[in-house]
Amino acid sequence: MVGGILVRRIGKSAGIVTKRNLSSRPRLAIVGSGPAGMFACNGLLRKSYFAVDVFENSPVPFGLVRYGVAPDHQEVKNVINTFDNMFQKNRDRLKLFCNVNIGRDITFDELTRGYDAVLLAYGSYKTRQLGIPGSDSKNVISGSEFVGWYNGVPNVPTPDLSISNVVIVGNGNVALDCARVLSTASSGSLKISDIPDDRLAVLEKAIIKDIKIIGRRGPENVSFTIKELREQFKIEEWDSKLEVSEEDQKNLIESLPKLERKKKRLTEVLVKNIGIASGLRQCHFLFHRVPKKIVADSAGQVKELVVDNTENGRQETLECGLIIYSLGYETLVLDGVPQNQDKMIDMKDHCRVNMSLSCPANVYATGWCAHGPRGVIVDTQQQSIFVADQIAADFAHNRKSVASGVGMLLAERKVPFISWDAWKLIDQQERDQGKLTGKIREKFTTFEKFLSK
Ligand SMILES: Cc1cc2nc3c(=O)[nH]c(=O)nc-3n(C[C@H](O)[C@H](O)[C@H](O)COP(=O)(O)OP(=O)(O)OC[C@H]3O[C@@H](n4cnc5c(N)ncnc54)[C@H](O)[C@@H]3O)c2cc1C
């Protein structure tokens, strides 16, 4: 049962084809239900006769929309409504199989034998490590762990937020999301979001007064986007400043006329916020700082980060009770999928995977697993619409199929998948629970809750 809901076991009743059916539609398997897979799926269902099975490792769908996008960006999370509509409208030919890991429960080779086409859309989820002495100290966590924790990923350890100084390593949007959530939680503004109650209580009790966001390179190299950057500077009760050298300030200002529009606007925001943070709550943006060593106290908890300041050649010690490092993600290549020399999926062109001629299915890839962990959802959407067009074109004259899916294998292996209907019941329960306290939803945060019998 899922919070009182029966999790469907695979088989005829789950509505999937388990026997060869010569007159059936061409069949596509999508690996991953994040934006990349879902936008491609939406495009494809509109343009083709495909029947689609979506396989998702997590117990619930939609990837980073649920477990990555910050809880104060509900307008971004609303993209889930588009995906919901897609499933509702296409119940006859679109199936969801959450809690199924491709690689563990079903191999990639088995997928290629069960479907006419396979679309890889499994994202990039391996966090780049800090890799310096002391990294294993308590309260040294990756940005994805912290983001996962406040977004309700099941069974994630709780960070200790009863500290006053935090260092965030990294100059991308994930670093800004972490800083913003830490700086705004005590104001009560996240109360109505979908941060799980127990995790919100920890955030609200935090006593953090000082956040340092550090980057290895100069301010001209940040990967922030303007919306997230502005949000940090606007937080009331926090003084957030770019603490840069005169030379960096001069270079930023001089670069302005030469920059293209988007970068120029971002740089203008950076320049406008140069200064020294002061007051009760401070957020310092520091540059040219390379982490060298973490020093822990006698209980093994981080107390200092030692960095090299490559601008003045000095070593500095940054006092901190929590380090969050956000250095980006690495793409893992699923077993059986060809890999290139950069350890990425070996692509033949923008969307087709370079499979051997003996592979029985056409294999495509899109989103972060195909092109690396870059870009916001709109970028991912554009790539995925293109991929959908290509798949539809490749199968324009192929409307019949002998593919039989992987239903038999899931049944034999007794994989307790969570279907679309089961997800909708979970969704409803979470929303109902949230309503009781005026929240968008109260997320389930343990696997047991999703899968309990
Ligand atoms: C912390 C964070 C915050 C972000 N905030 C924003 C924002 O505010 N606005 C914005 O526009 N963009 C934001 N983005 C970017 C956005 O999330 C990405 O552009 C988008 O999610 C990439 O889509 P994807 O489908 O390629 O990957 P994902 O969203 O990661 O989806 C991949 C899916 O594949 C599943 N999967 C992985 N392996 C397997 C397997 N072996 N078998 C089955 N399933 C598998 C995963 O569980 C996941 O559900 C954010 C990104 C991060 C990391």
Side-chain angles (χ1 to χ4, degrees):
M1 303 276 273
V2 177
I5 302 156
L6 184 68
V7 176
R8 281 189 164 174
R9 293 242 174 233
I10 199 90
K12 226 176 169 184
S13 64
I16 60 161
V17 181
T18 52
K19 284 191 233 156
R20 289 200 156 226
N21 180 347
L22 288 175
S23 61
S24 65
R25 300 162 181 273
R27 303 192 64 162
L28 170 72
I30 299 183
V31 184
S33 68
M38 295 301 87
F39 280 119
C41 185
N42 207 18
L44 202 63
L45 289 168
R46 285 190 189 157
K47 288 182 189 128
S48 73
Y49 288 87
F50 267 98
V52 182
D53 291 346
V54 178
F55 297 95
E56 168 57 52
N57 176 53
S58 296
V60 287
F62 309 138
L64 287 169
V65 180
R66 177 172 167 114
Y67 286 137
V69 171
D72 58 344
H73 285 177
Q74 289 297 325
E75 74 292 353
V76 178
K77 290 189 187 255
N78 280 343
V79 70
I80 285 179
N81 298 335
T82 308
F83 306 149
D84 259 357
N85 287 339
M86 170 182 79
F87 275 96
Q88 296 293 5
K89 273 194 207 150
N90 295 284
R91 293 181 75 89
D92 56 329
R93 60 181 177 131
L94 175 58
K95 309 285 174 225
L96 178 68
F97 300 93
C98 286
N99 205 39
V100 178
N101 178 285
I102 301 304
R104 181 194 62 208
D105 299 316
I106 299 289
T107 66
F108 169 71
D109 286 346
E110 286 165 344
L111 268 197
T112 61
R113 290 197 292 273
Y115 292 85
D116 301 290
V118 174
L119 173 61
L120 304 173
Y122 57 84
S124 291
Y125 45 86
K126 191 177 165 219
T127 307
R128 286 216 173 87
Q129 297 299 308
L130 255 183
I132 56 171
S135 297
D136 56 352
S137 307
K138 281 187 211 148
N139 246 18
V140 177
I141 58 175
S142 68
S144 47
E145 268 176 276
F146 186 59
V147 164
W149 174 76
Y150 66 60
N151 264 312
V153 171
N155 307 349
V156 174
T158 301
D160 177 3
L161 301 185
S162 60
I163 41 100
S164 46
N165 292 38
V166 178
V167 173
I168 300 178
V169 184
N171 272 176
N173 279 346
V174 177
L176 287 179
D177 283 352
C178 296
R180 195 177 63 256
V181 167
L182 286 171
S183 340
T184 50
S186 60
S187 71
S189 63
L190 296 174
K191 266 204 166 22
I192 57 161
S193 75
D194 57 358
I195 300 183
D197 275 347
D198 54 338
R199 302 184 188 191
L200 183 63
V202 175
L203 278 163
E204 285 182 335
K205 278 194 220 128
I207 52 161
I208 295 160
K209 293 190 173 50
D210 188 286
I211 298 175
K212 292 183 177 65
I213 301 177
I214 68 166
R216 279 175 171 262
R217 298 192 291 165
E220 70 284 8
N221 296 116
V222 296
S223 309
F224 305 137
T225 52
I226 194 160
K227 173 177 175 264
E228 280 75 9
L229 189 61
R230 279 202 180 120
E231 283 171 336
Q232 182 62 35
F233 292 124
K234 278 189 193 155
I235 301 170
E236 283 176 22
E237 296 180 20
W238 278 79
D239 189 28
S240 300
K241 287 279 164 25
L242 251 79
E243 302 186 357
V244 298
S245 62
E246 279 179 18
E247 194 188 343
D248 268 349
Q249 179 168 10
K250 185 167 155 271
N251 290 342
L252 278 181
I253 294 169
E254 285 179 0
S255 71
L256 281 169
K258 294 170 239 153
L259 298 173
E260 46 84 20
R261 193 168 164 271
K262 203 166 148 196
K263 182 91 188 178
K264 188 175 175 188
R265 285 176 59 224
L266 182 85
T267 308
E268 282 166 349
V269 177
L270 293 173
V271 170
K272 200 173 144 200
N273 290 286
I274 290 174
I276 305 286
S278 61
L280 285 180
R281 292 177 169 177
Q282 307 173 1
C283 175
H284 317 257
F285 289 79
L286 306 176
F287 301 93
H288 308 288
R289 303 313 205 273
V290 180
K292 283 300 187 194
K293 187 172 74 170
I294 292 169
V295 182
D297 62 16
S298 55
Q301 174 143 340
V302 54
K303 66 170 185 176
E304 285 165 2
L305 173 66
V306 178
V307 296
D308 278 350
N309 180 332
T310 55
E311 207 176 20
N312 62 18
R314 291 194 200 123
Q315 198 156 74
E316 296 167 1
T317 298
L318 309 178
E319 199 187 305
C320 52
L322 168 67
I323 295 177
I324 300 174
Y325 58 93
S326 174
L327 307 171
Y329 297 82
E330 284 173 40
T331 306
L332 289 178
V333 179
L334 285 184
D335 271 356
V337 175
Q339 179 171 301
N340 66 20
Q341 58 199 19
D342 298 324
K343 299 197 172 157
M344 301 276 293
I345 296 175
D346 189 15
M347 304 292 289
K348 195 155 65 179
D349 56 28
H350 194 68
C351 63
R352 293 173 185 83
V353 178
N354 197 10
M355 299 302 299
S356 71
L357 289 175
S358 60
C359 178
N362 288 12
V363 181
Y364 305 83
T366 185
W368 280 18
C369 74
H371 305 294
R374 282 182 304 277
V376 290
I377 290 173
V378 175
D379 306 312
T380 305
Q381 179 180 14
Q382 283 164 357
Q383 284 172 21
S384 296
I385 291 171
F386 174 80
V387 175
D389 287 347
Q390 298 295 305
I391 302 176
D394 287 354
F395 282 83
H397 305 293
N398 180 357
R399 293 190 174 186
K400 293 205 170 160
S401 169
V402 294
S404 55
V406 291
M408 296 285 208
L409 293 176
L410 286 171
E412 276 166 21
R413 293 168 195 171
K414 297 187 170 47
V415 180
F417 74 85
I418 294 177
S419 68
W420 171 253
D421 289 333
W423 152 242
K424 285 317 288 177
L425 289 169
I426 294 168
D427 184 36
Q428 196 55 52
Q429 284 191 3
E430 287 187 343
R431 286 177 195 270
D432 289 348
Q433 187 68 31
K435 257 189 212 150
L436 300 176
T437 50
K439 292 175 65 175
I440 290 155
R441 65 170 71 234
E442 183 57 40
K443 284 178 178 172
F444 291 178
T445 54
T446 59
F447 285 116
E448 298 71 33
K449 192 126 194 213
F450 289 114
L451 296 168
S452 59
K453 302 262 181 311

